[in-house]
Amino acid sequence: MKKRFTILLVAAMLLSMIAGCGQTAPEASASAQLETSAVSATEPAPEPETPAPAPEPEAPASAEESVVEEEPAPELFDYELPITDGSVTYTFFEAVNPNVASFIEGFQDNHVMQQWQARTGVALDIVSVHPSYAAENFNILLAAGDLPDLTSSGLKYYNGSTSAAVEEEIFADLCAYEDACPNYMTVLAQHDDALKSLTTDEGYMPAFYQIQDNSLTKEGLVIRQDWLDQVDMDVPATYDELHDVLTAFKSELNVPWPMMMRSSGAWNNGVFSWGYDINAYMTTNPLVSLPLFVQDGEVKFSMMEDAYGEYITMLSQWFSEGLIYNDLESITMYMGYMNQVVNDEIGFFYTSADVISNYEEAAISDSFALTAMESPKRNVGDEVHFSAVLKYSSTGGWAVSATAEDIETLIQCVDYLYSPEGFILANYGVEGETYELDTEGNPHFTDLITRNPDGMSMDSAVYIYTLQNGAFNEDYTRYTSTFSDRTQEMVDVWNHEVADSYMYPASNVSLNSEESERAAQILSDITATVDENILKFIKGDRSVDEFDTFRQELRDLGIEEFVSIYQDAYDRYLTR
């Protein structure tokens, strides 16, 4: 009886957690993803049927047992389509990936967006913009009182705090409309800490978020294996070993710039800087990624750490030796240097598993071969405290305008993407076009995605024919199922023994209105100073001996107050 009571108590605690968003149903089983049952799309989802009475127990059940046993687990369901007659046209705001500009005119050409409208009946007027101007364009629309009904990454573009966005009736609080999005609430209940991570300190949930069922990273560091073979060296594990390899590439193979690096001095999520126990990646355009990390509960800003001074000194030295690409300021994304890679000008860089085959097919060298690398360490055996895997992220979330006409219908239509049918559509597209089912009923991409006849990368094809980011429950195996054995080995390396104990949960903490306004003021000056000086340090235009002076400049700009704001937000996050 004691063991049974413990299990029921845990279930009761789960009920309490879900109630934080006003939901009263316990966690659904993962297998419910595959089950369907038609319900009316114009009415709230019906309560599950009351189960048949159980045989009368020999002894009265405890209060805990009665409450829990009477609550059947919710299941994902398919809507009766269409949901709406399209009498209301909703505006949708999306920043379009510039890598696909040669294939589509705007997000209205995305096949899932077209199918979503056709199936649910929702009518969309899609506004597509370049990522560099997305925040500015969004805030112009907001100031003009012409807020889009649905905004991808809206919380990133809005200048105020997340809570203020709800309290000032900019974006709708989905917790107030949970009856209109039962699939989404059920998906959240299936994931540990999702509600805690995706609600604000006040209990608001102002967006539909992208949830990952089986998280991993498919991006990371790679090095030319054929060149390693030529210089008779192993895949480097430390910074010193990597320096020796890059030097050999340059001196023995006459490689112009053995290593590619961004002007920020780090790759996405801080990869390459992790060996110094820092997250050195910072960008504010088009979205914000701050170089914050947490050590023993204390929030830190990487550029203020002694370790960062050592890190930037190393990069400066390597640049002076001609080991790093000389035009760093021109590098904005990892596909931006494909020509240098395939023309044997670069030997060590950051990339995605999706484009490995593109490099191999375009390479001028018949021996071209890449191998994956873990983020290098200062010493063999050092522990890594960072990760590129994010289970819950507001980056691709869709925020619904609080003033949208017939808001419940719009929310229902978005909720469709979390249904069993919507799950397949968002992840795999249309059967017979972008995916086929195997003998066990599992979907697999067709050659339209994996070997696109128009020459687009798989990454671009996924973006155009499915949803790559947005409001849906992502099945990450859609990528890995297409990988060759060699590519899968590379992905395994990038996901090997990577912890995240130092990661700052930037997408999940929330600032209040006063904090958000003050942090934005400070960040504006800090960003300009960091962008200018980090590049100068690397290229030798400013001596690394002035690193302490640089840190004082950041203090003068309010960096300590900035960190304190994010410390307070982090502390509140821990107590949700």
Side-chain angles (χ1 to χ4, degrees):
M1 183 66 178
K2 182 177 180 180
K3 180 177 180 182
R4 175 175 173 77
F5 175 79
T6 302
I7 294 173
L8 293 173
L9 181 59
V10 171
M13 292 173 64
L14 177 61
L15 280 169
S16 175
M17 178 191 74
I18 296 175
C21 195
Q23 190 161 325
T24 57
E27 179 177 348
S29 66
S31 62
Q33 180 81 55
L34 303 178
E35 300 182 17
T36 63
S37 60
V39 299
S40 171
T42 58
E43 298 179 2
E47 292 293 327
E49 295 181 4
T50 304
E56 187 171 344
E58 296 180 1
S62 67
E64 292 88 352
E65 290 177 354
S66 331
V67 171
V68 174
E69 290 179 348
E70 290 177 3
E71 291 285 355
E75 296 180 354
L76 297 173
F77 65 91
D78 279 322
Y79 283 88
E80 182 179 311
L81 301 176
I83 294 174
T84 178
D85 60 7
S87 56
V88 176
T89 298
Y90 299 99
T91 52
F92 181 94
F93 185 93
E94 168 75 12
V96 178
N97 185 344
N99 286 335
V100 301
S102 60
F103 299 105
I104 60 175
E105 292 184 6
F107 206 56
Q108 65 272 12
D109 295 329
N110 174 275
H111 286 220
V112 168
M113 298 301 288
Q114 295 171 352
Q115 282 289 320
W116 181 40
Q117 294 178 77
R119 296 183 187 187
T120 65
V122 65
L124 299 177
D125 178 11
I126 300 177
V127 179
S128 298
V129 298
H130 190 282
S132 298
Y133 310 109
E136 179 183 359
N137 290 347
F138 171 80
N139 283 288
I140 289 174
L141 291 172
L142 179 61
D146 194 18
L147 181 70
D149 297 309
L150 195 60
T151 303
S152 179
S153 299
L155 292 170
K156 293 293 185 180
Y157 304 142
Y158 177 62
N159 290 327
S161 71
T162 302
S163 296
V166 172
E167 293 166 354
E168 296 174 9
E169 298 186 341
I170 305 299
F171 296 132
D173 174 22
L174 295 181
C175 289
Y177 294 93
E178 59 182 302
D179 288 343
C181 52
N183 281 318
Y184 180 53
M185 293 301 175
T186 298
V187 168
L188 292 183
Q190 295 173 359
H191 294 79
D192 294 339
D193 291 334
L195 286 171
K196 171 183 175 180
S197 298
L198 299 179
T199 53
T200 68
D201 300 328
E202 296 80 8
Y204 303 136
M205 185 179 293
F208 284 97
Y209 295 107
Q210 182 172 341
I211 309 298
Q212 291 183 350
D213 259 354
N214 19 54
S215 301
L216 53 79
T217 180
K218 58 186 179 68
E219 298 178 3
L221 301 171
V222 291
I223 194 166
R224 285 285 294 267
Q225 180 62 57
D226 54 327
W227 290 357
L228 286 173
D229 294 339
Q230 290 180 49
V231 298
D232 194 24
M233 301 179 79
D234 295 328
V235 176
T238 67
Y239 293 104
D240 287 342
E241 291 175 0
L242 178 59
H243 176 268
D244 292 343
V245 166
L246 298 177
T247 301
F249 285 176
K250 189 171 186 68
S251 61
E252 297 182 34
L253 304 181
N254 296 317
V255 177
W257 305 287
M259 173 177 168
M260 180 59 74
M261 176 52 70
R262 266 182 166 170
S263 59
S264 61
W267 293 108
N268 297 9
N269 304 298
V271 174
F272 192 70
S273 67
W274 292 346
Y276 279 82
D277 267 351
I278 54 173
N279 167 21
Y281 182 58
M282 180 175 183
T283 183
T284 57
N285 186 22
L287 302 177
V288 176
S289 181
L290 300 175
L292 297 171
F293 68 99
V294 182
Q295 188 174 20
D296 298 326
E298 181 182 355
V299 177
K300 298 183 177 183
F301 193 91
S302 293
M303 284 71 179
M304 297 301 294
E305 298 299 304
D306 291 341
Y308 187 87
E310 299 170 11
Y311 174 73
I312 206 68
T313 297
M314 177 192 72
L315 289 182
S316 179
Q317 178 62 36
W318 289 12
F319 187 89
S320 70
E321 296 173 11
L323 301 180
I324 299 178
Y325 185 64
N326 66 345
D327 191 18
L328 296 182
E329 50 267 55
S330 68
I331 304 304
T332 58
M333 59 188 67
Y334 61 72
M335 282 299 288
Y337 46 82
M338 182 173 181
N339 286 338
Q340 289 93 331
V341 170
V342 300
N343 287 317
D344 289 349
E345 297 175 356
I346 299 293
F348 172 68
F349 54 99
Y350 180 93
T351 193
S352 168
D354 300 326
V355 297
I356 296 297
S357 60
N358 297 76
Y359 289 126
E360 294 172 340
E361 293 172 4
I364 63 173
S365 173
D366 292 337
S367 65
F368 184 94
L370 297 173
T371 194
M373 263 187 62
E374 296 181 21
S375 189
K377 307 172 181 65
R378 282 186 281 188
N379 304 290
V380 175
D382 284 355
E383 183 178 354
V384 174
H385 299 100
F386 296 90
S387 170
V389 176
L390 300 175
K391 291 185 178 180
Y392 319 118
S393 172
S394 61
T395 300
W398 288 0
V400 178
S401 168
T403 58
E405 184 179 352
D406 194 1
I407 190 171
E408 292 193 4
T409 296
L410 176 58
I411 289 174
Q412 279 186 322
C413 289
V414 178
D415 188 63
Y416 162 81
L417 294 173
Y418 295 90
S419 70
E421 181 180 296
F423 173 85
I424 295 297
L425 173 64
N427 281 282
Y428 293 96
V430 179
E431 185 176 6
E433 178 187 33
T434 54
Y435 79 90
E436 299 286 359
L437 297 176
D438 63 21
T439 55
E440 297 180 355
N442 299 313
H444 296 276
F445 282 134
T446 64
D447 286 348
L448 183 64
I449 301 295
T450 60
R451 301 182 66 85
N452 185 269
D454 295 324
M456 68 178 71
S457 68
M458 179 178 169
D459 200 49
S460 295
V462 166
Y463 183 91
I464 292 172
Y465 291 101
T466 73
L467 285 185
Q468 191 174 65
N469 302 294
F472 69 111
N473 188 22
E474 184 176 23
D475 177 13
Y476 230 65
T477 62
R478 62 178 176 157
Y479 295 105
T480 59
S481 64
T482 68
F483 292 163
S484 66
D485 291 343
R486 180 61 184 143
T487 302
Q488 184 60 58
E489 289 174 4
M490 299 174 76
V491 172
D492 291 343
V493 169
W494 295 329
N495 289 275
H496 175 63
E497 294 183 351
V498 178
D500 61 357
S501 56
Y502 284 11
M503 297 295 291
Y504 185 84
S507 294
N508 305 327
V509 300
S510 58
L511 307 184
N512 60 41
S513 298
E514 181 180 347
E515 290 172 333
S516 181
E517 181 178 356
R518 181 57 182 152
Q521 293 171 349
I522 300 173
L523 182 60
S524 177
D525 292 332
I526 288 176
T527 300
T529 301
V530 169
D531 287 349
E532 176 185 358
N533 285 281
I534 296 308
L535 183 59
K536 285 184 176 180
F537 282 136
I538 295 174
K539 302 190 76 169
D541 296 329
R542 184 174 186 181
S543 172
V544 291
D545 293 338
E546 298 182 26
F547 180 69
D548 286 341
T549 302
F550 166 69
R551 288 197 289 187
Q552 185 57 50
E553 292 167 2
L554 294 180
R555 292 189 188 94
D556 294 341
L557 293 173
I559 188 65
E560 291 173 338
E561 181 185 357
F562 183 84
V563 171
S564 177
I565 290 172
Y566 277 88
Q567 178 74 62
D568 292 344
Y570 177 73
D571 293 340
R572 292 195 301 269
Y573 164 75
L574 294 179
T575 60
R576 285 180 188 167

